[in-house]
Amino acid sequence: MISSLGWIWEAGMTRRIGLAALAALLLASGGARAGEAAIGELIGLSPVEVRARLTGAPADAPLARGFEVARDGGADAYFTLDVLVADPRALHRRMLQRTHGDEPYDPDVPSCRSRLASEPRPPAAGDPVLAFRDGRLAAVLRPARAPPRSPAPSIDDRKAYERWIRQASIGPFQTGLGQLPLEDGAGFLGRWEAGRLTASERLSVDCAPLPRRPPITAPTKRRPLNNSDMQGLALLPFAVQLPGMNRDRARARDSGAATLASLGLGQRLPQDPKAFAASREGLRWHASARPGYGVLTVDLGGGRTRNLSDARDAVLVGVRDGAVTWISPPDGAGPRAGLLCIDAQGLAGAPRPGCHDWGNYRP
């Protein structure tokens, strides 16, 4: 599928195009490959060219879709370095993890560790964000980090402790708690631009297959049933729902990808956004208090699962005055569906349709 910026994208699905060459590169020299470049050397390159410079990946290997924003008559796209250089099969595996998918483990999928070489940080600290303007790298930004949290109250005070767990902070995509993402348009750029990295700083990527899992041998003696087994038996009557649920998840992956492929930056919706969402399966419309603005969510389903929670991926699509202004995939640098589930007090919960439990969103 081709995005509005002309880049290949699949909603978490694997493709084998060009992967033989990529695998050969990654498995050479003891199964690992590393690349490093100064930001100044990468400025002006396309996403495919940046990826090739850092990993040696062939140009025809599928590329993840970035967080796309219409701005000043052009198009911006933002990628975390981690997503930009990832093998498509690794992105598929991440989709399975997000949606509690259960598919066979592929030991040959390479895993890439990307970082800012001049300032190594643990993966949890975030990833450099590459900003492309009209398809060419314009800047590399530091990831927006949440402010430090206050110390947790005593767990003995259950209400205070629960509130502390659910408390969210304002990130770069919101100007106020409870608001929809990007209500102030491109205002998030001002909150991001302060983290622009210099041209002399270097990006580093190391790719290698994950260690192979040891073979699982059957126990010589049958063990007694434990608590986990008893829970599984208690849920067995509900397991009849799984085949139908998995078929629906698979349909959503296909139909959601097709719907998303039909949407591009600057495109005007053929109907009022609320009516547009109501007339198509897998879409949900969240209107802002600001006239003319809102966010569409597109259901991208998930992998085959044995988990009845039915966790699914969702893409967010910003619409202003009937036109698409931004698109944010679930594994990108942009806002994610969980932001829709933060209320005006900053607590994760169910303030909008689709939200449930402690801030989980199901499209």
Side-chain angles (χ1 to χ4, degrees):
M1 299 172 190
I2 307 297
S3 79
S4 59
L5 297 181
W7 303 328
I8 299 173
W9 177 77
E10 288 193 318
M13 294 183 285
T14 55
R15 288 176 63 183
R16 298 289 178 178
I17 300 175
L19 293 183
L22 177 58
L25 285 167
L26 292 170
L27 295 174
S29 304
R33 181 170 177 83
E36 186 174 309
I39 292 173
E41 299 171 10
L42 304 174
I43 295 296
L45 300 183
S46 70
V48 168
E49 291 167 339
V50 171
R51 181 183 62 180
R53 176 70 175 77
L54 292 172
T55 69
D60 60 353
L63 184 72
R65 189 169 185 172
F67 165 40
E68 301 172 9
V69 182
R71 184 166 69 96
D72 300 333
D76 291 351
Y78 301 87
F79 296 84
T80 63
L81 179 59
D82 181 47
V83 167
L84 181 66
V85 302
D87 182 286
R89 294 168 295 172
L91 294 176
H92 179 74
R93 184 171 58 204
R94 288 165 62 159
M95 179 277 293
L96 294 175
Q97 292 170 346
R98 290 192 304 272
T99 63
H100 304 160
D102 180 38
E103 292 187 12
Y105 174 79
D106 185 349
D108 295 324
V109 175
S111 177
C112 293
R113 177 177 178 268
S114 57
R115 61 187 175 88
L116 181 62
S118 56
E119 189 180 324
R121 293 178 181 270
D127 216 25
V129 176
L130 285 74
F132 293 85
R133 177 68 171 168
D134 294 329
R136 297 290 167 178
L137 184 65
V140 179
L141 312 173
R142 293 183 186 276
R145 296 187 174 90
R149 301 188 65 182
S150 60
S154 170
I155 197 171
D156 295 331
D157 187 343
R158 296 293 296 273
K159 287 187 177 180
Y161 188 74
E162 177 183 320
R163 184 179 180 87
W164 181 83
I165 290 177
R166 295 173 57 201
Q167 188 68 52
S169 58
I170 295 180
F173 305 115
Q174 293 171 299
T175 56
L177 293 169
Q179 291 187 354
L180 291 173
L182 273 64
E183 289 211 17
D184 63 338
F188 76 95
L189 288 173
R191 298 184 282 276
W192 249 1
E193 287 293 331
R196 182 185 290 255
L197 296 169
T198 65
S200 62
E201 297 196 71
R202 304 181 69 83
L203 303 180
S204 174
V205 177
D206 298 297
C207 298
L210 293 173
R212 290 183 177 269
R213 292 179 177 177
I216 299 175
T217 57
T220 56
K221 293 178 60 178
R222 177 175 294 180
R223 61 173 176 79
L225 296 179
N226 57 24
N227 289 339
S228 179
D229 296 323
M230 299 306 294
Q231 290 174 359
L233 289 172
L235 291 172
L236 189 59
F238 299 96
V240 296
Q241 304 174 25
L242 284 174
M245 187 181 77
N246 279 322
R247 286 192 295 270
D248 185 65
R249 287 160 65 89
R251 282 194 300 268
R253 286 177 63 190
D254 292 337
S255 62
T259 297
L260 190 59
S262 70
L263 298 174
L265 295 181
Q267 176 184 340
R268 299 199 65 82
L269 300 181
Q271 300 169 268
D272 170 85
K274 184 177 180 180
F276 179 77
S279 65
R280 287 163 174 78
E281 186 176 0
L283 269 64
R284 196 190 299 269
W285 171 247
H286 300 280
S288 168
R290 302 188 184 194
Y293 183 71
V295 173
L296 277 172
T297 62
V298 181
D299 183 3
L300 288 181
R304 187 179 66 254
T305 185
R306 292 181 293 176
N307 191 309
L308 290 170
S309 65
D310 197 14
R312 300 188 180 209
D313 266 347
V315 171
L316 305 188
V317 180
V319 179
R320 193 179 300 275
D321 297 327
V324 175
T325 56
W326 57 270
I327 299 172
S328 183
D331 195 24
R336 302 187 184 185
L339 289 181
L340 301 174
C341 300
I342 306 298
D343 66 19
Q345 285 72 48
L347 299 179
R352 294 185 175 92
C355 298
H356 61 93
D357 298 332
W358 286 13
N360 297 312
Y361 185 83
R362 185 183 182 280

